[in-house]
Amino acid sequence: MKRDEMLARGLAKRGPWDIVVVGGGATGAGVAVDAASRGYEVLLLEQHDFGKGTSSRSTKLVHGGVRYLEQGNISLVMEALKERGLLRQNAPHLVHDLAFIVPSYTWWESPFYGFGLKVYNMLSGRYKFGPTKRLSKQETLEHLPTIKTEGLRGGVVYYDGQFDDSRLLINLIATAAKHGATVLNYAKVIGLTRDDDGFINGVNIRDEESGREVHTDARVVVNATGAFCDGVRRMVDPEATTMIAPSQGIHLVFDRSFLPGDSAIMVPHTPDGRVMFAIPWHNHTLVGTTDVAIETASLEPLPTEAEIDFILETAGRYLEKAPTRADILSTFAGIRPLVKSGDGTNTASLSRDHTIHIDNSGLLTIAGGKWTTYRNMAEDCVNQAATLAELDERECVTRKLQVHGYHASAEEFGDLAVYGSDAPAIQDLARADSALSERLHSELPIIAAEVVWATRNEMARTVEDVLARRTRALFLNARAAIAMAPRVAELMAKELGRDTAWQSKEVSEFNDVARGYLVSPGEPPA
Ligand SMILES: Cc1cc2nc3c(=O)[nH]c(=O)nc-3n(C[C@H](O)[C@H](O)[C@H](O)COP(=O)(O)OP(=O)(O)OC[C@H]3O[C@@H](n4cnc5c(N)ncnc54)[C@H](O)[C@@H]3O)c2cc1C
């Protein structure tokens, strides 16, 4: 994927696109894959980088959602469990089984959660990941050597999926492109146009790199802008009612010593009734998440001190060695686009399912749901979009569509496993030029060839694109990422033909963003 070619293709287009998708997160990318693979002409527009929004900030679980089972939402869980299985089948290089242990400290927890999690496993039908089992204290400790032993009685093990969210996103964008979609990052939709009857017939776009503004025609526009979707709806109807109740979750990342085994911890009820996970991810420990209603969504949300303290405190209840602020390598926040129903005044009326809403102007908005169900959401959305735009009826083909990078045994590529079938090409880059085989930081296994690859083939345009979403450096270790930035800028400048002033500007802008991922090791400010 080359941005210049995508831009040229977009500008050369005559006549309307079948579908213009606004938003390059999981939802928009899924819609683009579905529509392009049915043979429709598709343009996807993302105002920043692909995955800049919530879709790079998830807990990295491909799951049915155990807590929704507890709420009795069986159909939501069954749908997600099926999608979990399809995702592992279509993107095995990125989705892995992971054992989750629910530790028990009272006599009733193991039988209680054991039963519920057996039902969870049963609901996955032929898409099972692994058997649910009750564990003795000794077995629990074998899975979780750092779990707090005082009062520990045993546990329950169940299986779910784990993935790298922004890598999957980039691979979905590549899949859409492979099927003919034109995909553009740094292309913001700044307006929607209507025909004489008041129906949406196109979008106004600003190329955020050149500042140039253009118009393009569309038979139907899909608004897949997540927490920002009300803003896009109000471009057409300033009086549009609010659909989204944004809710923020944060994660803390620690080194691997806090969770050295291959299993995750699942706490079904934190003291204030939330679910919390501690997960091994890219050789680190990821702990989260909170769920706090917020007023307005922003592209770079910041964790609050209260959220950081809450996670530290909760993790400390379950780990022998309680993590402290000084142990935090990175922290990141994401905004859940929960959809209001009814009057939307209480959280019970916030749907965890996805919603498709069609405004009077014909603008189709899809929001809510979760990463795990992106494919099913997209199928639903494209069916409705095709009807709305009177496109030829074409069957959805994504149930068995391999995601770009598909590889059945990607583990053989070691640290490059997440690239799947692209890994050999990155290895070739590193072999051809020894400077590209060097690690960019001693604490992370990222090599220079990955920067070149991302810039040449994955439309990375800024240092942040490489360090936050093509590699996961910023999410794993913010200080290491800051240290890597100058070398990343130098490598990118060579690829993109930029000068040293560009490099300095890039490093400085990256550092501004990265500061939000750092936590000061001392006491929080009063
Ligand atoms: C803390 C947290 C943890 C989660 N964990 C999980 C999990 O473990 N598993 C799971 O399945 N789900 C999880 N989810 C849910 C999942 O991450 C989200 O449902 C999903 O990422 C939403 O994707 P989206 O594409 O709708 O939104 P986004 O990813 O936010 O994408 C919307 C995009 O639209 C773009 N945009 C906005 N305005 C414009 C415009 N005018 N022009 C062009 N582009 C525009 C934005 O820049 C953004 O990139 C989690 C959510 C949160 C908040």
Side-chain angles (χ1 to χ4, degrees):
M1 295 189 294
K2 311 244 181 289
R3 190 175 188 276
D4 295 349
E5 287 172 17
M6 292 290 176
L7 191 58
R9 212 200 287 174
L11 292 172
K13 175 84 174 84
R14 296 287 165 263
W17 301 91
D18 289 333
I19 301 183
V20 169
V21 184
V22 190
T27 309
V31 171
V33 169
D34 185 299
S37 60
R38 293 192 203 202
Y40 295 132
E41 273 193 297
V42 178
L43 173 66
L44 177 138
L45 302 161
E46 164 55 49
Q47 63 175 354
H48 194 278
D49 185 29
F50 305 122
K52 169 72 177 180
T54 305
S55 299
S56 57
R57 302 158 187 276
S58 76
T59 313
K60 330 295 178 201
L61 301 181
V62 181
H63 64 156
V66 175
R67 74 178 128 164
Y68 309 133
L69 186 65
E70 210 185 350
Q71 293 161 6
N73 202 337
I74 305 279
S75 61
L76 183 68
V77 175
M78 281 184 83
E79 174 204 311
L81 286 170
K82 182 175 173 196
E83 292 301 322
R84 179 188 77 163
L86 293 178
L87 196 45
R88 184 181 59 172
Q89 165 198 295
N90 297 329
H93 60 300
L94 285 170
V95 179
H96 307 281
D97 301 9
L98 183 64
F100 287 76
I101 316 294
V102 182
S104 57
Y105 290 89
T106 58
W107 66 267
W108 59 269
E109 283 174 308
S110 278
F112 180 76
Y113 293 119
F115 175 75
L117 290 164
K118 277 210 160 87
V119 173
Y120 182 73
N121 193 37
M122 200 182 74
L123 292 177
S124 55
R126 63 192 179 92
Y127 297 102
K128 288 192 174 52
F129 272 31
T132 299
K133 272 197 315 209
R134 281 171 62 178
L135 302 175
S136 66
K137 178 176 175 179
Q138 189 49 38
E139 287 167 327
T140 304
L141 284 167
E142 279 161 23
H143 278 280
L144 303 173
T146 49
I147 193 86
K148 195 162 256 178
T149 47
E150 193 190 327
L152 181 70
R153 302 175 79 107
V156 180
V157 59
Y158 74 99
Y159 290 82
D160 246 327
Q162 188 198 26
F163 75 132
D164 182 326
D165 48 11
S166 70
R167 287 301 319 163
L168 179 60
L169 203 259
I170 299 301
N171 281 180
L172 286 176
I173 294 285
T175 311
K178 202 180 318 190
H179 286 271
T182 300
V183 292
L184 267 178
N185 50 2
Y186 297 100
K188 180 170 180 152
V189 169
I190 52 171
L192 297 154
T193 54
R194 306 209 215 187
D195 64 16
D196 294 343
D197 297 319
F199 288 111
I200 303 282
N201 64 359
V203 294
N204 294 328
I205 309 160
R206 185 171 61 227
D207 174 2
E208 297 287 8
E209 292 198 345
S210 66
R212 182 176 171 188
E213 293 182 9
V214 291
H215 171 82
T216 197
D217 295 328
R219 291 188 206 283
V220 60
V221 175
V222 171
N223 173 15
T225 53
F228 304 95
C229 73
D230 286 324
V232 173
R233 290 173 60 233
R234 287 185 188 128
M235 287 179 187
V236 197
D237 175 8
E239 306 299 314
T241 53
T242 304
M243 269 180 77
I244 297 294
S247 162
Q248 174 162 303
I250 77 147
H251 300 86
L252 303 181
V253 180
F254 305 101
D255 71 35
R256 191 80 161 93
S257 66
F258 288 92
L259 199 62
D262 289 328
S263 305
I265 303 175
M266 196 277 223
V267 177
H269 281 281
T270 60
D272 65 348
R274 303 180 215 174
V275 174
M276 182 155 305
F277 296 97
I279 301 164
W281 187 62
H282 286 322
N283 213 24
H284 287 68
T285 304
L286 176 72
V287 186
T289 179
T290 54
D291 204 343
V292 178
I294 53 167
E295 284 296 315
T296 42
S298 72
L299 259 188
E300 197 54 74
L302 292 174
T304 63
E305 296 298 337
E307 288 176 295
I308 293 170
D309 288 343
F310 172 79
I311 293 187
L312 283 175
E313 207 257 321
T314 311
R317 286 172 182 245
Y318 290 90
L319 295 174
E320 273 299 342
K321 183 181 134 205
T324 66
R325 296 173 72 87
D327 296 312
I328 301 172
L329 299 175
S330 181
T331 176
F332 58 92
I335 301 173
R336 210 179 279 280
L338 294 177
V339 179
K340 290 182 177 186
S341 59
D343 63 4
T345 49
N346 59 45
T347 43
S349 65
L350 300 177
S351 171
R352 302 276 160 171
D353 213 341
H354 71 272
T355 295
I356 293 180
H357 176 87
I358 303 175
D359 284 298
N360 291 340
S361 61
L363 176 66
L364 193 158
T365 297
I366 173 159
K370 51 185 179 165
W371 237 122
T372 308
T373 54
Y374 84 91
R375 192 212 61 81
N376 179 52
M377 291 167 65
E379 179 178 351
D380 201 1
C381 177
V382 176
N383 286 344
Q384 299 211 30
T387 306
L388 194 63
E390 298 180 27
L391 304 177
D392 295 342
E393 258 186 50
R394 296 179 192 164
E395 285 293 304
C396 169
V397 297
T398 55
R399 281 196 192 95
K400 291 191 175 157
L401 189 76
Q402 293 184 350
V403 172
H404 177 90
Y406 177 98
H407 196 287
S409 51
E411 326 72 72
E412 70 191 56
F413 302 122
D415 292 332
L416 297 177
V418 285
Y419 294 95
S421 62
D422 285 334
I426 301 171
Q427 289 171 333
D428 286 348
L429 282 174
R431 266 193 290 270
D433 178 353
S434 61
L436 297 187
S437 64
E438 84 199 26
R439 270 186 180 219
L440 299 178
H441 195 278
S442 58
E443 286 168 35
L444 294 170
I446 298 161
I447 59 170
E450 290 174 71
V451 181
V452 173
W453 174 262
T455 314
R456 277 188 202 167
N457 303 296
E458 294 182 339
M459 289 172 68
R461 308 296 293 176
T462 69
V463 167
E464 185 201 321
D465 297 348
V466 168
L467 287 173
R469 291 169 294 276
R470 303 307 182 283
T471 71
R472 306 316 307 270
L474 180 60
F475 286 72
L476 292 169
N477 186 330
R479 280 187 184 78
I482 289 170
M484 291 155 77
R487 176 75 176 127
V488 171
E490 191 188 356
L491 288 160
M492 292 185 80
K494 203 166 156 208
E495 290 300 310
L496 297 168
R498 311 279 202 228
D499 57 15
T500 48
W502 180 86
Q503 293 179 42
S504 310
K505 183 174 139 293
E506 274 301 311
V507 172
S508 146
E509 287 180 3
F510 175 71
N511 289 347
D512 285 347
V513 171
R515 272 192 279 278
Y517 293 67
L518 293 171
V519 172
S520 68
E523 283 301 304

